[in-house]
Amino acid sequence: MTAIRTENLSKTYGAGRNGTETAAVRALNLEVREGEIFGFLGPNGAGKTSTIHLLLNLIRPTSGTAYLFDRPVTETAVHRRLGYLPESVNLHDYYRGRALLDFYAALCGVPANSRSARVTELLKLLHLEDAAEKRVSKYSKGMAQRIGFAQAMLHDPDLLILDEPTASLDPVGRKEFRDILLELKRRGKTVFISSHILSEVKTVCDRVAILQNGELKRTGTLQELSANKKTKLVVKGLPAPVMEALAITAAEVTLVQGLATISCPDEELRQTVEQLLRQHGVEIVRTETGTQSLEEIFFATITPPPKL
Amino acid sequence: MRTIFLIAIDSIRALLHQRLLLGLMLASLALTIFFSIIMSKERTVITESFSDDTMTNNSVMGTNQMSAVDRRNFQDKMESASTTFQAMFYQVASFGGSIVALFIFSTAVASEIRKGTIRLTLSKPVSRTQFLLGKYLGGVVVMAAFALLTWFAILIFAQTQNLELSPVIKWAPWLMFCRQLMLGSLAMLLSLFMHPIIASVLAFVAGNGFYSLHNPLYYILPSYKDFNVFFQVLEGTLLNLKDVAFLSLYAADFVVIMLLLALWRFRTKELV
């Protein structure tokens, strides 16, 4: 079962004062598997938040369909399995922290007898115990972000949709947030994160998707997305005939402390070299596959904006 | 149903924290006190003027009592003052209540969309229908409290001033409440299409007598005219139960139609 699935999902906003229409999302086909942490990347205006709003049924698609756990997003019941943290957390500011969480917990259907314990647990987890009786309007941005995260987790949902979740957090808060995400993953939860902070996405995400101008450019694991397919074969000693054979190929050989490293720039050459080594009975100690960093992948994928 | 109640309670909570709304309610209270004082003074003036006249007549005629004619005049004047003040009191409470109702219902959904708080609420297992009905119910409870307060205020007013209540004034808070729910439902519907202030103005204007019985719009647009019992209070006319029941049904019918239209609009509305 997929946690999130979109089929040719498109959203075009109506003509503004200048008479032009804006396509925020274009024929998006996306699949997020259950139990994975999925990073949703893209520059500003790429259509990430619009996609999230479509998934939450806050806006209507121009065409296409979106599903959560294989049910159309228009079904309210599917929200029982969903937790959402928006980019800018706007809270009902007439509540105090604990009362606000209690209200959301009641809406989520958390039983009255376990509600108080659950709220206390989350206040503790997100270090908000001291602010529990403080009015939400007095919260700092970081505290609002934390309580926003708490409300998303109140009913222990199977899927968390987080829009720029760490934007207002300090480094300590970010580290704690990462730890919580990894714990959620360990417990089999699905997390969909839209973020600009590539280092963070790289640390926690199993797969990523890169969006630009509403179009899905690429999706996959970091390894799958990496353009760098260079492979290094590390072997113990190289017989002279192998050295001679390698010399006429594009493979590079370096010798360090009795170990030879053969760098193969592409997949085809790697297979040729492996065959050659097998023919001469040379044992491959290990294989190293080179990958690009997420930042390199991101910038290689998106088209830079025109210079001003 | 539970979700609708939760949204309604949240809505009441939000309204109780609205300074503008509290200000409007305080203004209504201040007007009540103002009217009580004026009424009290007016009664004193009438009593004093009759006392002076009686004393003058007594000294001329050598009697010690108010004549039957004078007594009837005195009672007529007191009754007239009483009904005028009851009618005025009702009018002020009704107008104040209408402003409160327009404020509550036109901003109930619109302010949640504007502030972005609706995104969190609707990410929970809350349907748009539950949300809208919960918001409306919250407003109904606040308006019911306002109508009850008005009713109590009228009773206290009558008690302290030793007045006999006009027969129609007993129904006035109920009719006022019905009128405010009609206004509110229309304002809520319009606020899903336009700015709450414009929605409020339109909802107020639409039904306040821009058309006569000969105008076909009368049958389509709401009419609040019959819910205003100012003249009946003034004239001391009786309002029978059948009329009240008919007006209540008209209001209920109107509110249901407006809510259905609002739900139809809200279900397809973009909420960001």
Side-chain angles (χ1 to χ4, degrees), chain A residues 11 57-60 76 79 86 90 92 94-95 106 108 135 151, chain B residues 2 10 13-14 112 115 117 119-120 122-124 128 267 270-272:
Chain A
K11 178 68 189 173
N57 194 33
L58 292 172
I59 55 173
R60 304 284 157 154
T76 308
H79 287 209
N90 299 307
H92 291 107
Y94 40 86
Y95 280 101
C108 292
R135 203 168 282 281
Q151 66 75 31
Chain B
R2 189 179 153 274
D10 169 62
R13 199 170 183 152
E112 289 255 2
K115 288 180 191 166
T117 45
R119 286 180 291 167
L120 282 188
L122 290 186
S123 72
K124 310 292 176 212
R128 291 187 181 206
R267 284 169 86 157
E270 307 265 288
L271 299 179
V272 287

PDB file of all heavy atoms in Angstrom, chain A residues 11 57-60 76 79 86 90 92 94-95 106 108 135 151, chain B residues 2 10 13-14 112 115 117 119-120 122-124 128 267 270-272:
ATOM      1  N   LYS A  11      -2.636  21.694 -10.615  1.00  0.00           N
ATOM      2  CA  LYS A  11      -3.351  22.823 -10.004  1.00  0.00           C
ATOM      3  C   LYS A  11      -2.949  24.111 -10.719  1.00  0.00           C
ATOM      4  O   LYS A  11      -1.769  24.466 -10.758  1.00  0.00           O
ATOM      5  CB  LYS A  11      -3.007  22.930  -8.512  1.00  0.00           C
ATOM      6  CG  LYS A  11      -3.661  24.108  -7.829  1.00  0.00           C
ATOM      7  CD  LYS A  11      -5.147  23.941  -7.752  1.00  0.00           C
ATOM      8  CE  LYS A  11      -5.844  25.191  -7.275  1.00  0.00           C
ATOM      9  NZ  LYS A  11      -7.300  25.081  -7.351  1.00  0.00           N
ATOM     10  N   ASN A  57      -6.606  18.369   0.878  1.00  0.00           N
ATOM     11  CA  ASN A  57      -7.941  18.731   0.389  1.00  0.00           C
ATOM     12  C   ASN A  57      -8.331  20.160   0.785  1.00  0.00           C
ATOM     13  O   ASN A  57      -9.509  20.477   0.929  1.00  0.00           O
ATOM     14  CB  ASN A  57      -8.984  17.729   0.910  1.00  0.00           C
ATOM     15  CG  ASN A  57     -10.305  17.840   0.186  1.00  0.00           C
ATOM     16  OD1 ASN A  57     -10.330  18.157  -1.000  1.00  0.00           O
ATOM     17  ND2 ASN A  57     -11.397  17.627   0.888  1.00  0.00           N
ATOM     18  N   LEU A  58      -7.321  21.011   0.976  1.00  0.00           N
ATOM     19  CA  LEU A  58      -7.619  22.409   1.294  1.00  0.00           C
ATOM     20  C   LEU A  58      -7.895  23.192   0.016  1.00  0.00           C
ATOM     21  O   LEU A  58      -8.592  24.201   0.034  1.00  0.00           O
ATOM     22  CB  LEU A  58      -6.450  23.058   2.048  1.00  0.00           C
ATOM     23  CG  LEU A  58      -6.190  22.529   3.454  1.00  0.00           C
ATOM     24  CD1 LEU A  58      -4.900  23.092   4.013  1.00  0.00           C
ATOM     25  CD2 LEU A  58      -7.345  22.851   4.378  1.00  0.00           C
ATOM     26  N   ILE A  59      -7.297  22.718  -1.071  1.00  0.00           N
ATOM     27  CA  ILE A  59      -7.597  23.305  -2.387  1.00  0.00           C
ATOM     28  C   ILE A  59      -7.979  22.165  -3.321  1.00  0.00           C
ATOM     29  O   ILE A  59      -7.645  20.999  -3.040  1.00  0.00           O
ATOM     30  CB  ILE A  59      -6.396  24.119  -2.951  1.00  0.00           C
ATOM     31  CG1 ILE A  59      -5.122  23.274  -3.013  1.00  0.00           C
ATOM     32  CG2 ILE A  59      -6.168  25.375  -2.160  1.00  0.00           C
ATOM     33  CD1 ILE A  59      -3.961  23.975  -3.704  1.00  0.00           C
ATOM     34  N   ARG A  60      -8.667  22.497  -4.406  1.00  0.00           N
ATOM     35  CA  ARG A  60      -9.165  21.478  -5.337  1.00  0.00           C
ATOM     36  C   ARG A  60      -8.238  21.384  -6.546  1.00  0.00           C
ATOM     37  O   ARG A  60      -7.805  22.422  -7.061  1.00  0.00           O
ATOM     38  CB  ARG A  60     -10.567  21.837  -5.817  1.00  0.00           C
ATOM     39  CG  ARG A  60     -11.544  22.026  -4.694  1.00  0.00           C
ATOM     40  CD  ARG A  60     -11.956  20.695  -4.137  1.00  0.00           C
ATOM     41  NE  ARG A  60     -12.436  20.836  -2.774  1.00  0.00           N
ATOM     42  CZ  ARG A  60     -13.285  20.018  -2.202  1.00  0.00           C
ATOM     43  NH1 ARG A  60     -13.744  18.972  -2.853  1.00  0.00           N
ATOM     44  NH2 ARG A  60     -13.662  20.184  -0.955  1.00  0.00           N
ATOM     45  N   THR A  76     -12.941  12.362   4.507  1.00  0.00           N
ATOM     46  CA  THR A  76     -12.494  12.908   5.802  1.00  0.00           C
ATOM     47  C   THR A  76     -11.900  11.812   6.684  1.00  0.00           C
ATOM     48  O   THR A  76     -10.955  12.060   7.443  1.00  0.00           O
ATOM     49  CB  THR A  76     -13.695  13.563   6.525  1.00  0.00           C
ATOM     50  OG1 THR A  76     -14.308  14.463   5.622  1.00  0.00           O
ATOM     51  CG2 THR A  76     -13.261  14.309   7.754  1.00  0.00           C
ATOM     52  N   HIS A  79      -8.201  11.208   7.272  1.00  0.00           N
ATOM     53  CA  HIS A  79      -7.439  12.141   8.116  1.00  0.00           C
ATOM     54  C   HIS A  79      -7.183  11.577   9.517  1.00  0.00           C
ATOM     55  O   HIS A  79      -6.403  12.154  10.262  1.00  0.00           O
ATOM     56  CB  HIS A  79      -8.176  13.489   8.207  1.00  0.00           C
ATOM     57  CG  HIS A  79      -8.087  14.271   6.934  1.00  0.00           C
ATOM     58  ND1 HIS A  79      -8.118  15.636   6.884  1.00  0.00           N
ATOM     59  CD2 HIS A  79      -7.954  13.867   5.652  1.00  0.00           C
ATOM     60  CE1 HIS A  79      -8.024  16.029   5.637  1.00  0.00           C
ATOM     61  NE2 HIS A  79      -7.939  14.971   4.866  1.00  0.00           N
ATOM     62  N   PRO A  86       1.935  22.751   9.284  1.00  0.00           N
ATOM     63  CA  PRO A  86       2.093  23.719   8.180  1.00  0.00           C
ATOM     64  C   PRO A  86       3.396  24.506   8.277  1.00  0.00           C
ATOM     65  O   PRO A  86       4.044  24.514   9.333  1.00  0.00           O
ATOM     66  CB  PRO A  86       0.884  24.632   8.343  1.00  0.00           C
ATOM     67  CG  PRO A  86       0.467  24.503   9.745  1.00  0.00           C
ATOM     68  CD  PRO A  86       0.951  23.183  10.264  1.00  0.00           C
ATOM     69  N   ASN A  90      -0.112  28.669  12.393  1.00  0.00           N
ATOM     70  CA  ASN A  90      -1.083  29.643  12.914  1.00  0.00           C
ATOM     71  C   ASN A  90      -2.010  28.922  13.879  1.00  0.00           C
ATOM     72  O   ASN A  90      -2.781  28.066  13.460  1.00  0.00           O
ATOM     73  CB  ASN A  90      -1.883  30.248  11.762  1.00  0.00           C
ATOM     74  CG  ASN A  90      -0.998  30.967  10.785  1.00  0.00           C
ATOM     75  OD1 ASN A  90      -0.222  31.832  11.173  1.00  0.00           O
ATOM     76  ND2 ASN A  90      -1.052  30.593   9.525  1.00  0.00           N
ATOM     77  N   HIS A  92      -4.801  28.789  17.250  1.00  0.00           N
ATOM     78  CA  HIS A  92      -5.895  29.527  17.892  1.00  0.00           C
ATOM     79  C   HIS A  92      -5.298  30.181  19.130  1.00  0.00           C
ATOM     80  O   HIS A  92      -5.074  29.528  20.143  1.00  0.00           O
ATOM     81  CB  HIS A  92      -7.012  28.567  18.309  1.00  0.00           C
ATOM     82  CG  HIS A  92      -7.735  27.996  17.140  1.00  0.00           C
ATOM     83  ND1 HIS A  92      -7.585  26.695  16.741  1.00  0.00           N
ATOM     84  CD2 HIS A  92      -8.609  28.548  16.275  1.00  0.00           C
ATOM     85  CE1 HIS A  92      -8.344  26.472  15.675  1.00  0.00           C
ATOM     86  NE2 HIS A  92      -8.974  27.578  15.378  1.00  0.00           N
ATOM     87  N   TYR A  94      -6.226  32.048  21.461  1.00  0.00           N
ATOM     88  CA  TYR A  94      -6.960  32.277  22.714  1.00  0.00           C
ATOM     89  C   TYR A  94      -6.831  31.087  23.666  1.00  0.00           C
ATOM     90  O   TYR A  94      -7.432  31.079  24.728  1.00  0.00           O
ATOM     91  CB  TYR A  94      -8.429  32.587  22.427  1.00  0.00           C
ATOM     92  CG  TYR A  94      -9.034  31.752  21.328  1.00  0.00           C
ATOM     93  CD1 TYR A  94      -9.575  30.504  21.588  1.00  0.00           C
ATOM     94  CD2 TYR A  94      -9.030  32.215  20.021  1.00  0.00           C
ATOM     95  CE1 TYR A  94     -10.119  29.743  20.566  1.00  0.00           C
ATOM     96  CE2 TYR A  94      -9.564  31.454  18.993  1.00  0.00           C
ATOM     97  CZ  TYR A  94     -10.102  30.222  19.276  1.00  0.00           C
ATOM     98  OH  TYR A  94     -10.624  29.451  18.259  1.00  0.00           O
ATOM     99  N   TYR A  95      -6.066  30.076  23.250  1.00  0.00           N
ATOM    100  CA  TYR A  95      -5.852  28.910  24.109  1.00  0.00           C
ATOM    101  C   TYR A  95      -4.519  29.014  24.847  1.00  0.00           C
ATOM    102  O   TYR A  95      -3.613  29.708  24.397  1.00  0.00           O
ATOM    103  CB  TYR A  95      -5.775  27.643  23.259  1.00  0.00           C
ATOM    104  CG  TYR A  95      -7.098  27.071  22.826  1.00  0.00           C
ATOM    105  CD1 TYR A  95      -7.580  27.293  21.546  1.00  0.00           C
ATOM    106  CD2 TYR A  95      -7.845  26.279  23.678  1.00  0.00           C
ATOM    107  CE1 TYR A  95      -8.787  26.757  21.128  1.00  0.00           C
ATOM    108  CE2 TYR A  95      -9.045  25.728  23.273  1.00  0.00           C
ATOM    109  CZ  TYR A  95      -9.509  25.977  22.003  1.00  0.00           C
ATOM    110  OH  TYR A  95     -10.699  25.441  21.597  1.00  0.00           O
ATOM    111  N   ALA A 106      -9.081  16.028  21.097  1.00  0.00           N
ATOM    112  CA  ALA A 106     -10.514  15.666  21.075  1.00  0.00           C
ATOM    113  C   ALA A 106     -11.002  15.585  19.630  1.00  0.00           C
ATOM    114  O   ALA A 106     -11.744  14.661  19.265  1.00  0.00           O
ATOM    115  CB  ALA A 106     -11.314  16.699  21.857  1.00  0.00           C
ATOM    116  N   CYS A 108      -9.244  14.818  17.092  1.00  0.00           N
ATOM    117  CA  CYS A 108      -8.641  13.621  16.477  1.00  0.00           C
ATOM    118  C   CYS A 108      -9.283  12.338  16.995  1.00  0.00           C
ATOM    119  O   CYS A 108      -8.951  11.251  16.519  1.00  0.00           O
ATOM    120  CB  CYS A 108      -7.149  13.556  16.773  1.00  0.00           C
ATOM    121  SG  CYS A 108      -6.220  14.832  15.981  1.00  0.00           S
ATOM    122  N   ARG A 135      -0.280  31.322  27.517  1.00  0.00           N
ATOM    123  CA  ARG A 135      -1.155  31.572  26.371  1.00  0.00           C
ATOM    124  C   ARG A 135      -0.352  31.414  25.073  1.00  0.00           C
ATOM    125  O   ARG A 135       0.792  31.886  24.976  1.00  0.00           O
ATOM    126  CB  ARG A 135      -1.734  32.983  26.463  1.00  0.00           C
ATOM    127  CG  ARG A 135      -3.019  33.148  25.700  1.00  0.00           C
ATOM    128  CD  ARG A 135      -3.680  34.452  26.063  1.00  0.00           C
ATOM    129  NE  ARG A 135      -4.374  34.399  27.329  1.00  0.00           N
ATOM    130  CZ  ARG A 135      -5.580  33.848  27.510  1.00  0.00           C
ATOM    131  NH1 ARG A 135      -6.209  33.302  26.482  1.00  0.00           N
ATOM    132  NH2 ARG A 135      -6.141  33.829  28.682  1.00  0.00           N
ATOM    133  N   GLN A 151       0.853  18.862  18.000  1.00  0.00           N
ATOM    134  CA  GLN A 151      -0.540  18.627  17.565  1.00  0.00           C
ATOM    135  C   GLN A 151      -0.598  17.655  16.389  1.00  0.00           C
ATOM    136  O   GLN A 151      -1.573  16.937  16.233  1.00  0.00           O
ATOM    137  CB  GLN A 151      -1.273  19.942  17.286  1.00  0.00           C
ATOM    138  CG  GLN A 151      -0.800  20.801  16.115  1.00  0.00           C
ATOM    139  CD  GLN A 151      -1.188  20.266  14.759  1.00  0.00           C
ATOM    140  OE1 GLN A 151      -2.225  19.626  14.606  1.00  0.00           O
ATOM    141  NE2 GLN A 151      -0.330  20.485  13.767  1.00  0.00           N
TER     142      GLN A 151
ATOM    143  N   ARG B   2     -20.547  14.977  17.672  1.00  0.00           N
ATOM    144  CA  ARG B   2     -19.582  15.356  18.696  1.00  0.00           C
ATOM    145  C   ARG B   2     -18.597  16.400  18.141  1.00  0.00           C
ATOM    146  O   ARG B   2     -18.259  17.382  18.815  1.00  0.00           O
ATOM    147  CB  ARG B   2     -18.840  14.087  19.137  1.00  0.00           C
ATOM    148  CG  ARG B   2     -17.963  14.261  20.329  1.00  0.00           C
ATOM    149  CD  ARG B   2     -17.300  12.950  20.708  1.00  0.00           C
ATOM    150  NE  ARG B   2     -16.054  13.207  21.383  1.00  0.00           N
ATOM    151  CZ  ARG B   2     -14.897  13.403  20.752  1.00  0.00           C
ATOM    152  NH1 ARG B   2     -14.834  13.362  19.455  1.00  0.00           N
ATOM    153  NH2 ARG B   2     -13.808  13.640  21.448  1.00  0.00           N
ATOM    154  N   ASP B  10     -15.342  25.596  20.606  1.00  0.00           N
ATOM    155  CA  ASP B  10     -14.149  26.360  20.247  1.00  0.00           C
ATOM    156  C   ASP B  10     -14.553  27.736  19.717  1.00  0.00           C
ATOM    157  O   ASP B  10     -13.914  28.750  20.032  1.00  0.00           O
ATOM    158  CB  ASP B  10     -13.362  25.580  19.185  1.00  0.00           C
ATOM    159  CG  ASP B  10     -12.257  26.405  18.565  1.00  0.00           C
ATOM    160  OD1 ASP B  10     -11.352  26.804  19.307  1.00  0.00           O
ATOM    161  OD2 ASP B  10     -12.316  26.676  17.348  1.00  0.00           O
ATOM    162  N   ARG B  13     -15.560  29.959  22.507  1.00  0.00           N
ATOM    163  CA  ARG B  13     -14.337  30.361  23.207  1.00  0.00           C
ATOM    164  C   ARG B  13     -13.649  31.504  22.458  1.00  0.00           C
ATOM    165  O   ARG B  13     -13.198  32.476  23.064  1.00  0.00           O
ATOM    166  CB  ARG B  13     -13.415  29.141  23.274  1.00  0.00           C
ATOM    167  CG  ARG B  13     -12.372  29.246  24.311  1.00  0.00           C
ATOM    168  CD  ARG B  13     -11.664  27.922  24.471  1.00  0.00           C
ATOM    169  NE  ARG B  13     -10.702  28.047  25.538  1.00  0.00           N
ATOM    170  CZ  ARG B  13     -10.304  27.065  26.295  1.00  0.00           C
ATOM    171  NH1 ARG B  13     -10.808  25.875  26.133  1.00  0.00           N
ATOM    172  NH2 ARG B  13      -9.421  27.253  27.234  1.00  0.00           N
ATOM    173  N   ALA B  14     -13.580  31.351  21.144  1.00  0.00           N
ATOM    174  CA  ALA B  14     -12.953  32.388  20.312  1.00  0.00           C
ATOM    175  C   ALA B  14     -13.733  33.699  20.433  1.00  0.00           C
ATOM    176  O   ALA B  14     -13.138  34.771  20.559  1.00  0.00           O
ATOM    177  CB  ALA B  14     -12.913  31.934  18.864  1.00  0.00           C
ATOM    178  N   GLU B 112     -11.076  32.414  10.155  1.00  0.00           N
ATOM    179  CA  GLU B 112     -10.268  31.174  10.242  1.00  0.00           C
ATOM    180  C   GLU B 112      -9.467  30.977   8.960  1.00  0.00           C
ATOM    181  O   GLU B 112      -8.330  30.514   8.995  1.00  0.00           O
ATOM    182  CB  GLU B 112     -11.184  29.966  10.469  1.00  0.00           C
ATOM    183  CG  GLU B 112     -11.805  29.929  11.846  1.00  0.00           C
ATOM    184  CD  GLU B 112     -11.170  28.896  12.762  1.00  0.00           C
ATOM    185  OE1 GLU B 112     -10.216  28.215  12.359  1.00  0.00           O
ATOM    186  OE2 GLU B 112     -11.639  28.783  13.904  1.00  0.00           O
ATOM    187  N   LYS B 115      -6.674  33.802   8.947  1.00  0.00           N
ATOM    188  CA  LYS B 115      -5.580  33.543   9.892  1.00  0.00           C
ATOM    189  C   LYS B 115      -4.839  32.247   9.568  1.00  0.00           C
ATOM    190  O   LYS B 115      -3.744  32.024  10.053  1.00  0.00           O
ATOM    191  CB  LYS B 115      -6.135  33.453  11.316  1.00  0.00           C
ATOM    192  CG  LYS B 115      -6.576  34.779  11.886  1.00  0.00           C
ATOM    193  CD  LYS B 115      -7.102  34.550  13.289  1.00  0.00           C
ATOM    194  CE  LYS B 115      -7.803  35.759  13.849  1.00  0.00           C
ATOM    195  NZ  LYS B 115      -8.589  35.437  15.034  1.00  0.00           N
ATOM    196  N   THR B 117      -5.817  29.294  10.526  1.00  0.00           N
ATOM    197  CA  THR B 117      -6.066  28.281  11.562  1.00  0.00           C
ATOM    198  C   THR B 117      -6.948  27.136  11.045  1.00  0.00           C
ATOM    199  O   THR B 117      -6.901  26.033  11.574  1.00  0.00           O
ATOM    200  CB  THR B 117      -6.743  28.919  12.790  1.00  0.00           C
ATOM    201  OG1 THR B 117      -7.775  29.786  12.325  1.00  0.00           O
ATOM    202  CG2 THR B 117      -5.772  29.735  13.599  1.00  0.00           C
ATOM    203  N   ARG B 119      -6.530  25.441   8.477  1.00  0.00           N
ATOM    204  CA  ARG B 119      -5.715  24.360   7.899  1.00  0.00           C
ATOM    205  C   ARG B 119      -5.453  23.260   8.916  1.00  0.00           C
ATOM    206  O   ARG B 119      -5.495  22.082   8.589  1.00  0.00           O
ATOM    207  CB  ARG B 119      -4.382  24.922   7.377  1.00  0.00           C
ATOM    208  CG  ARG B 119      -4.549  25.711   6.098  1.00  0.00           C
ATOM    209  CD  ARG B 119      -3.239  26.230   5.615  1.00  0.00           C
ATOM    210  NE  ARG B 119      -2.716  27.265   6.499  1.00  0.00           N
ATOM    211  CZ  ARG B 119      -1.489  27.721   6.465  1.00  0.00           C
ATOM    212  NH1 ARG B 119      -0.625  27.238   5.609  1.00  0.00           N
ATOM    213  NH2 ARG B 119      -1.096  28.668   7.282  1.00  0.00           N
ATOM    214  N   LEU B 120      -5.161  23.680  10.164  1.00  0.00           N
ATOM    215  CA  LEU B 120      -4.906  22.672  11.198  1.00  0.00           C
ATOM    216  C   LEU B 120      -6.191  21.933  11.549  1.00  0.00           C
ATOM    217  O   LEU B 120      -6.197  20.714  11.691  1.00  0.00           O
ATOM    218  CB  LEU B 120      -4.329  23.325  12.461  1.00  0.00           C
ATOM    219  CG  LEU B 120      -2.855  23.688  12.425  1.00  0.00           C
ATOM    220  CD1 LEU B 120      -2.397  24.149  13.801  1.00  0.00           C
ATOM    221  CD2 LEU B 120      -2.003  22.522  11.992  1.00  0.00           C
ATOM    222  N   LEU B 122      -8.898  21.433   9.753  1.00  0.00           N
ATOM    223  CA  LEU B 122      -9.375  20.524   8.705  1.00  0.00           C
ATOM    224  C   LEU B 122      -8.373  19.422   8.360  1.00  0.00           C
ATOM    225  O   LEU B 122      -8.695  18.530   7.581  1.00  0.00           O
ATOM    226  CB  LEU B 122      -9.770  21.305   7.456  1.00  0.00           C
ATOM    227  CG  LEU B 122     -11.035  22.149   7.583  1.00  0.00           C
ATOM    228  CD1 LEU B 122     -11.418  22.753   6.246  1.00  0.00           C
ATOM    229  CD2 LEU B 122     -12.211  21.360   8.135  1.00  0.00           C
ATOM    230  N   SER B 123      -7.170  19.484   8.943  1.00  0.00           N
ATOM    231  CA  SER B 123      -6.249  18.351   8.745  1.00  0.00           C
ATOM    232  C   SER B 123      -6.629  17.219   9.704  1.00  0.00           C
ATOM    233  O   SER B 123      -6.157  16.106   9.579  1.00  0.00           O
ATOM    234  CB  SER B 123      -4.797  18.778   8.977  1.00  0.00           C
ATOM    235  OG  SER B 123      -4.551  18.997  10.348  1.00  0.00           O
ATOM    236  N   LYS B 124      -7.491  17.532  10.664  1.00  0.00           N
ATOM    237  CA  LYS B 124      -8.017  16.509  11.586  1.00  0.00           C
ATOM    238  C   LYS B 124      -9.232  15.853  10.912  1.00  0.00           C
ATOM    239  O   LYS B 124      -9.720  16.365   9.906  1.00  0.00           O
ATOM    240  CB  LYS B 124      -8.467  17.167  12.906  1.00  0.00           C
ATOM    241  CG  LYS B 124      -7.450  18.085  13.533  1.00  0.00           C
ATOM    242  CD  LYS B 124      -6.261  17.346  14.027  1.00  0.00           C
ATOM    243  CE  LYS B 124      -5.198  18.289  14.570  1.00  0.00           C
ATOM    244  NZ  LYS B 124      -3.845  17.798  14.363  1.00  0.00           N
ATOM    245  N   ARG B 128     -15.837  19.448   6.147  1.00  0.00           N
ATOM    246  CA  ARG B 128     -16.185  20.863   5.969  1.00  0.00           C
ATOM    247  C   ARG B 128     -17.601  21.132   6.467  1.00  0.00           C
ATOM    248  O   ARG B 128     -17.878  22.202   7.011  1.00  0.00           O
ATOM    249  CB  ARG B 128     -16.056  21.239   4.494  1.00  0.00           C
ATOM    250  CG  ARG B 128     -14.607  21.248   4.036  1.00  0.00           C
ATOM    251  CD  ARG B 128     -14.492  21.785   2.635  1.00  0.00           C
ATOM    252  NE  ARG B 128     -13.101  21.773   2.191  1.00  0.00           N
ATOM    253  CZ  ARG B 128     -12.604  22.585   1.282  1.00  0.00           C
ATOM    254  NH1 ARG B 128     -13.367  23.468   0.697  1.00  0.00           N
ATOM    255  NH2 ARG B 128     -11.338  22.515   0.930  1.00  0.00           N
ATOM    256  N   ARG B 267     -18.020  23.684   0.458  1.00  0.00           N
ATOM    257  CA  ARG B 267     -17.435  22.384   0.094  1.00  0.00           C
ATOM    258  C   ARG B 267     -16.481  22.492  -1.077  1.00  0.00           C
ATOM    259  O   ARG B 267     -15.623  21.640  -1.256  1.00  0.00           O
ATOM    260  CB  ARG B 267     -18.542  21.383  -0.215  1.00  0.00           C
ATOM    261  CG  ARG B 267     -19.200  20.897   1.073  1.00  0.00           C
ATOM    262  CD  ARG B 267     -20.426  20.129   0.800  1.00  0.00           C
ATOM    263  NE  ARG B 267     -20.109  18.736   0.542  1.00  0.00           N
ATOM    264  CZ  ARG B 267     -20.973  17.755   0.701  1.00  0.00           C
ATOM    265  NH1 ARG B 267     -22.181  17.997   1.110  1.00  0.00           N
ATOM    266  NH2 ARG B 267     -20.624  16.522   0.458  1.00  0.00           N
ATOM    267  N   GLU B 270     -11.736  27.214  -1.956  1.00  0.00           N
ATOM    268  CA  GLU B 270     -10.298  27.081  -1.724  1.00  0.00           C
ATOM    269  C   GLU B 270     -10.008  27.713  -0.358  1.00  0.00           C
ATOM    270  O   GLU B 270     -10.407  28.856  -0.125  1.00  0.00           O
ATOM    271  CB  GLU B 270      -9.512  27.812  -2.804  1.00  0.00           C
ATOM    272  CG  GLU B 270      -9.892  27.423  -4.214  1.00  0.00           C
ATOM    273  CD  GLU B 270      -9.010  26.344  -4.808  1.00  0.00           C
ATOM    274  OE1 GLU B 270      -7.862  26.630  -5.132  1.00  0.00           O
ATOM    275  OE2 GLU B 270      -9.502  25.216  -4.949  1.00  0.00           O
ATOM    276  N   LEU B 271      -9.329  26.977   0.495  1.00  0.00           N
ATOM    277  CA  LEU B 271      -9.208  27.446   1.882  1.00  0.00           C
ATOM    278  C   LEU B 271      -7.827  27.994   2.233  1.00  0.00           C
ATOM    279  O   LEU B 271      -7.480  28.076   3.406  1.00  0.00           O
ATOM    280  CB  LEU B 271      -9.585  26.312   2.835  1.00  0.00           C
ATOM    281  CG  LEU B 271     -11.027  25.813   2.679  1.00  0.00           C
ATOM    282  CD1 LEU B 271     -11.317  24.683   3.631  1.00  0.00           C
ATOM    283  CD2 LEU B 271     -12.014  26.942   2.902  1.00  0.00           C
ATOM    284  N   VAL B 272      -7.039  28.335   1.249  1.00  0.00           N
ATOM    285  CA  VAL B 272      -5.742  28.965   1.545  1.00  0.00           C
ATOM    286  C   VAL B 272      -5.583  30.216   0.699  1.00  0.00           C
ATOM    287  O   VAL B 272      -6.237  30.367  -0.303  1.00  0.00           O
ATOM    288  CB  VAL B 272      -4.552  28.020   1.287  1.00  0.00           C
ATOM    289  CG1 VAL B 272      -4.489  26.965   2.349  1.00  0.00           C
ATOM    290  CG2 VAL B 272      -4.619  27.405  -0.079  1.00  0.00           C
TER     291      VAL B 272
END
